[in-house]
Amino acid sequence: MPSKSRIKGHTESADDYLKAILELSGPEDQRVASNALAIHLGIRAASVTGMLQKLSTDKPALVKYQKHHGARLTTAGRKRALEVLRHHRLLERFLHDFLDYGWDEVHEEAERLEHFISEKLEDKIAAKLGDPLLDPHGHVIPERNGAFSARDEVNLLNWACGVPALISSVSDRDASDLRAIERLGLRPGTSVVVEAGVRNASLLVRIGGQNSTIRLGQHLAAQIFVVARTPQASAA
Amino acid sequence: MPSKSRIKGHTESADDYLKAILELSGPEDQRVASNALAIHLGIRAASVTGMLQKLSTDKPALVKYQKHHGARLTTAGRKRALEVLRHHRLLERFLHDFLDYGWDEVHEEAERLEHFISEKLEDKIAAKLGDPLLDPHGHVIPERNGAFSARDEVNLLNWACGVPALISSVSDRDASDLRAIERLGLRPGTSVVVEAGVRNASLLVRIGGQNSTIRLGQHLAAQIFVVARTPQASAA
DNA sequence: GCTCTGTTTTAGGCATGCCTAAATTACTAA
DNA sequence: TTAGTAATTTAGGCATGCCTAAAACAGAGC
Ligand SMILES: [Mn+2]
Ligand SMILES: [Mn+2]
Ligand SMILES: [Mn+2]
Ligand SMILES: [Mn+2]
């Protein structure tokens, strides 16, 4: 018995697979390996195979699946994945803006509720928020019609030294990392420059126009994404 | 696999059984027959038997179950049922007051979400609402600690003619009936008197101190509950 | 007390979605 | 080209929670 509380024919599990494929396939829409999915979802590869077979023989098919060569989303699968992603990010924004959640708390709750809110509630929340474009971590919220333009972000670890950057988003996967990032003042919208120097274990980062710099471990830096800072653009 | 999104060990299905038993056992805490549960839940009696066996052998047991003689809630079962009922009614109040839902729309959404909100979200919602006592249909919201005093309501069909009454609550089970009731102006808090006369197919009801009366079919009247109107008490 | 009828339980099955263990396949490197 | 290894798939199982059909039971009326 799949959870009674499903809105349409989609199960919670299938939704999670679709979201995972969307995330892991990257902007290039690469095929995603069973193993990668298994690790991401915290289940066994054998289980993934079974579900990919099911998803690929659903009508309409949600993934294209080639034995031993991974899966990618079909148009229908991508549509559903973006739908759930929109729910997730709208919920995060709503919990943060209207219900006093910290940005480190919203992910867990949204992860659960994203599967169970109706289109009506989605619309009411979006209206209440004024159709926001970004979630509290700076991630783009897919539009209602399925439009979704992933930004051209670069991981801070791969950003050239000395080039002015703007923090565009931060991973929301780990709550304590989020608190650490916040403590350092590295919210989305913040201007940063990576100072020249060794980049082995940590980066030397200057925030905004400040004189002092901070040391940022690889672990945290890996969760921060930036875009080029043009002279016009400024911190939000 | 039970829905991953369960908050604790409770499944959505078990929660629904517990809520149903709470509702059907009435203020007297009568035992509830398998058949009554099957009808209420829209499933087969055979399935009910299986679940009652499971609920009664859980540790801690959630129902006391005697073969062929129905089930009643244990303390733990009642606690959980009230927990879910609190979620439901808080959600209804929240959707109605903050997200522009009509009182005929809230039930369906709350019925789904009640199983999936965390204790944290429950608390945030309650705080935002100022710890409300009643849901939009006039039903008492159980307290956080499990306290719950069912009011001494009487169905309008059983109310004596000529005795002033106050509408205390209205069934939320059918959305179109709710719209009909609202159209007639019979919200909770409204003063009514059932006029003397034949009570076969419909009641003649006078609202507040108005001169005119309205005809109320049995079907709708059966969904309205009232309490005695003391001279002091007045419409909300 | 006995029978009849409707209720309830048992027995056997099915779909979902996970698991482990045992094949099988694909790729890499000698 | 051919092992060897790692990834992947198959096979078989389990828990949940529903179903139908058939058996067992309880309470009412006689
Ligand atoms: Mn949606
Ligand atoms: Mn986010
Ligand atoms: Mn609760
Ligand atoms: Mn209600």
Side-chain angles (χ1 to χ4, degrees), chain A residues 80 83-84 86-87 117-119 122 144:
Chain A
R80 178 61 190 168
E83 168 88 27
V84 179
R86 173 171 166 85
H87 292 181
I117 67 172
S118 67
E119 295 306 287
E122 171 193 334
R144 234 227 106 140

Side-chain angles (χ1 to χ4, degrees), chain A residues 189-208:
Chain A
T190 305
S191 305
V192 293
V193 178
V194 180
E195 298 291 322
V198 213
R199 303 181 62 147
N200 298 348
S202 66
L203 277 61
L204 210 56
V205 174
R206 181 181 309 277
I207 297 183

Side-chain angles (χ1 to χ4, degrees), chain A residues 3 5 12 109 112 116 118, chain B residues 3 5 12 109 112 116 118:
Chain A
S3 180
S5 287
E12 190 179 352
E109 193 87 38
R112 209 157 1 83
F116 305 108
S118 67
Chain B
S3 180
S5 288
E12 190 180 351
E109 193 87 37
R112 209 159 358 85
F116 304 109
S118 67

Side-chain angles (χ1 to χ4, degrees), chain A residues 92 135 137 139 172:
Chain A
E92 286 193 342
D135 82 6
H137 315 101
H139 298 122
D172 62 2

